[in-house]
Amino acid sequence: MAVTADDLDAALSSVVASLRPATGLDWSTRAGSLEWDCWHTAEHIGDCLMSFAGQLVARPEGRFTRFMAVADKDASPAEVLEFAEAGGRILAATVRTSGADVRAYHPAGQADPEGFAAMGCVETLLHGDDIAQGLGIAIDPPREVCARVLARLFPEAARELATVDPWAALRWSTGRIELPGRPQLGEWRWRGAPLGE
């Protein structure tokens, strides 16, 4: 059930394919329940995923790398979506070239390349969904990717929610929705470190 760079590529492709037809809409609208608008949420995806790649490459101890990736302020919605995709493809390439023994800082635990791929999937899928909600459309991510990401980052939830649609379980685990008998989470945290560590 390992999360791979291929899973990140699949998550990105799914989100980009869903959002690309909506780049003619107003991306200054609020992204779901976030404080950000759709444009800045897409920018956040690109920055976050490039930051994860930077962590795997530079491996600073006890902190994030000291850079921030931003889209050009005049970027169109299509261009800021391209920026988000570029960040994800850079992370996927970095995951592919990083040894399994590599560990890098994340507040949720010293993460391995699989952990960063899984975190990249969550950032892509959940913020892609936020953007989609803001634009009045939907995304439909690959359920097998959602299941692997859930098992890697939220192992207890994966066991407890084994009969729930993996996309719904992932959204519940990140405080986005409620499930029958399970209220929406006000706080949540994924596990960055490998499961055996």
Side-chain angles (χ1 to χ4, degrees):
M1 291 275 298
V3 179
T4 67
D6 290 344
D7 290 320
L8 179 55
D9 279 333
L12 282 161
S13 293
S14 171
V15 168
V16 170
S18 296
L19 297 180
R20 186 173 285 131
T23 55
L25 299 177
D26 180 6
W27 281 47
S28 68
T29 60
R30 187 172 168 179
S33 63
L34 301 180
E35 297 289 322
W36 299 324
D37 63 22
C38 295
W39 191 97
H40 286 93
T41 303
E43 181 185 50
H44 168 77
I45 295 170
D47 172 48
C48 187
L49 301 185
M50 282 191 231
S51 175
F52 287 169
Q55 290 305 103
L56 285 170
V57 172
R59 295 178 225 148
E61 294 211 16
R63 62 174 173 78
F64 281 111
T65 54
R66 303 288 187 201
F67 78 91
M68 184 171 194
V70 295
D72 186 274
K73 66 180 178 67
D74 296 324
S76 68
E79 291 165 336
V80 77
L81 181 61
E82 178 182 72
F83 172 81
E85 182 178 12
R89 302 296 181 203
I90 290 168
L91 175 57
T94 305
V95 167
R96 284 188 178 95
T97 58
S98 297
D101 60 330
V102 168
R103 300 291 181 272
Y105 172 80
H106 189 279
Q110 288 293 109
D112 59 349
E114 178 190 10
F116 279 107
M119 290 184 281
C121 286
V122 170
E123 293 288 343
T124 300
L125 294 172
L126 275 295
H127 287 314
D129 187 50
D130 293 329
I131 294 167
Q133 287 179 40
L135 299 173
I137 62 172
I139 66 168
D140 186 27
R143 296 312 194 266
E144 66 280 3
V145 172
C146 295
R148 283 191 289 276
V149 168
L150 190 67
R152 173 59 178 79
L153 296 180
F154 303 97
E156 289 178 20
R159 285 188 295 275
E160 293 174 10
L161 302 173
T163 61
V164 174
D165 172 72
W167 175 226
L170 188 58
R171 286 183 291 156
W172 178 82
S173 297
T174 55
R176 294 307 204 278
I177 62 170
E178 61 181 46
L179 290 174
R182 294 177 184 270
Q184 185 172 348
L185 297 175
E187 293 183 15
W188 57 273
R189 186 175 172 98
W190 60 42
R191 178 187 173 89
L195 297 179
E197 296 178 11

